[in-house]
Amino acid sequence: MKIVTTFAEVRAAHRGTVSLVPTMGFFHEGHLALMRAARERSDTVVVSLFVNPLQFGRGEDLDRYPRDLDRDAALAEAVGVDVLFAPSVEEMYPSEPEIRVTVGRLADYLCGRYRPGHFEGVATVVAKLFAGIQPDVAFFGRKDAQQLAVLRRLAADLSFPVEVKGRPIVREQDGLALSSRNVYLSPTERASALALSRGLARAAKAALDGVRSGAALEALVTNEIDQTAGVDLQYVNLVDADTVQPIEKLDRDSFLAVAAYVGETRLIDNVHFWLRDRLEYQLGERLQSPSVLYERR
Ligand code: PAF
């Protein structure tokens, strides 16, 4: 595996079809699943690792976001990544960017409402990755479901010739959705954090039993969180999977998304619903053993 720091070096390493897995590093099995999917799909697998200052608001965790290039390089190499692109802030933003990607109504709700400018920062850096790396396919996790909807529209609306693929959420053994931010949680906070996935699982089961009211499904998650000490709900909303607008009834492809603070740590999670002949839902996949996030180096 090559570790490179410039777009030119990434392009020089392309052979055949190219998959890109954009990340901010501190890999867990969710990232590794995206890399494996990319490996199956293409000749060259590029992983970008860049903690993007543009997508962090004032007072957010840019400075304390976990970083460990050597650890990440070893994990990426073990799953067969060809190129790890770890640019400096200067390579990515040679000067303060004057031209940025704006995001319309897709950012009106959920995280977009509470993190002003976040999706503009994400869309801008991913547009630069698409333009500078020119992948055929790019892989993103469904935990960031609103981000996935934004990036699908980014590719479509700005005519990037890249296929944007979503992959299932990967969960720890007890159901907590994997996030690099899980390493911030104390043991007590970690136990409280399970309220999010518990609430979503209850809502998914209720939907399967025939509940279609968005308010009723949202209330199941709210109740679970309200009953758990140390968890502050930020939002819970059932939204259309493509437009990310709230819907009153579960009558189309959609997702029920939740964000909450556990101590100082902001966590998000969701369950996806698909309406085919009958309702199907996807909470994601559970690990069989403890995550690499907690391995001591
Ligand atoms: O999901 C992430 O890790 C980031 O938002 C992304 C897509 C790499 C852009 O910085």
Side-chain angles (χ1 to χ4, degrees):
M1 186 182 75
K2 287 195 174 78
I3 302 178
V4 303
T5 56
T6 67
F7 281 114
E9 288 171 296
V10 181
R11 288 193 300 272
H14 285 4
R15 304 280 174 271
T17 54
V18 177
S19 280
L20 171 65
V21 181
T23 79
M24 298 205 300
F26 214 75
F27 298 149
H28 51 64
E29 286 81 353
H31 298 112
L32 302 181
L34 300 178
M35 295 176 203
R36 288 195 187 94
R39 180 70 285 159
E40 275 177 27
R41 174 65 195 263
S42 52
D43 301 311
T44 304
V45 177
V46 179
V47 172
S48 64
L49 190 171
F50 180 65
V51 182
N52 174 33
L54 232 54
Q55 69 188 72
F56 287 80
R58 214 172 275 135
E60 291 189 346
D61 57 344
L62 173 63
D63 292 338
R64 75 165 182 150
Y65 199 84
R67 292 164 169 89
D68 189 336
L69 181 60
D70 292 343
R71 167 192 181 277
D72 284 347
L75 288 167
E77 182 152 40
V79 293
V81 168
D82 299 301
V83 183
L84 184 63
F85 172 47
S88 61
V89 174
E90 292 69 33
E91 169 70 10
M92 192 59 88
Y93 301 116
S95 56
E96 177 76 15
E98 293 292 340
I99 311 294
R100 300 179 188 214
V101 177
T102 60
V103 178
R105 283 171 297 177
L106 268 68
D108 281 352
Y109 294 96
L110 310 186
C111 295
R113 168 165 286 182
Y114 293 95
R115 302 185 69 189
H118 169 69
F119 287 113
E120 279 77 8
V122 170
T124 301
V125 80
V126 173
K128 289 172 68 72
L129 292 169
F130 285 173
I133 296 175
Q134 299 167 9
D136 300 293
V137 196
F139 290 88
F140 299 91
R142 288 212 181 96
K143 185 168 78 67
D144 298 297
Q146 185 172 22
Q147 168 173 284
L148 180 60
V150 167
L151 296 177
R152 283 192 202 287
R153 285 301 297 259
L154 170 79
D157 290 358
L158 298 186
S159 304
F160 284 107
V162 56
E163 187 187 343
V164 173
K165 304 270 294 174
R167 301 286 305 168
I169 294 175
V170 182
R171 297 179 179 281
E172 300 196 29
Q173 286 165 291
D174 53 12
L176 182 67
L178 275 168
S179 162
S180 306
R181 291 185 168 104
N182 292 356
V183 298
Y184 299 153
L185 299 170
S186 70
T188 315
E189 290 172 339
R190 195 167 169 321
S192 302
L194 291 176
L196 279 74
S197 53
R198 258 197 328 261
L200 292 170
R202 287 190 62 192
K205 184 169 179 315
L208 217 57
D209 291 343
V211 177
R212 291 290 178 271
S213 148
L217 296 170
E218 291 163 9
L220 288 168
V221 181
T222 307
N223 289 344
E224 192 66 48
I225 287 180
D226 285 350
Q227 284 166 26
T228 310
V231 187
D232 288 324
L233 180 68
Q234 189 172 61
Y235 66 71
V236 54
N237 271 134
L238 181 69
V239 296
D240 180 288
D242 296 322
T243 65
V244 199
Q245 300 297 303
I247 53 175
E248 287 183 5
K249 276 186 71 181
L250 205 184
D251 57 2
R252 68 197 87 168
D253 292 355
S254 52
F255 59 91
L256 179 63
V258 58
Y261 275 93
V262 183
E264 298 286 297
T265 307
R266 186 175 177 280
L267 298 176
I268 59 172
D269 200 349
N270 66 72
V271 55
H272 271 73
F273 295 107
W274 287 275
L275 273 176
R276 301 288 175 259
D277 297 341
R278 55 189 176 79
L279 181 83
E280 290 170 20
Y281 74 85
Q282 188 187 69
L283 271 164
E285 297 153 5
R286 283 197 190 201
L287 295 179
Q288 300 300 314
S289 48
S291 169
V292 291
L293 274 178
Y294 308 109
E295 271 172 21
R296 292 177 68 85
R297 281 161 283 134

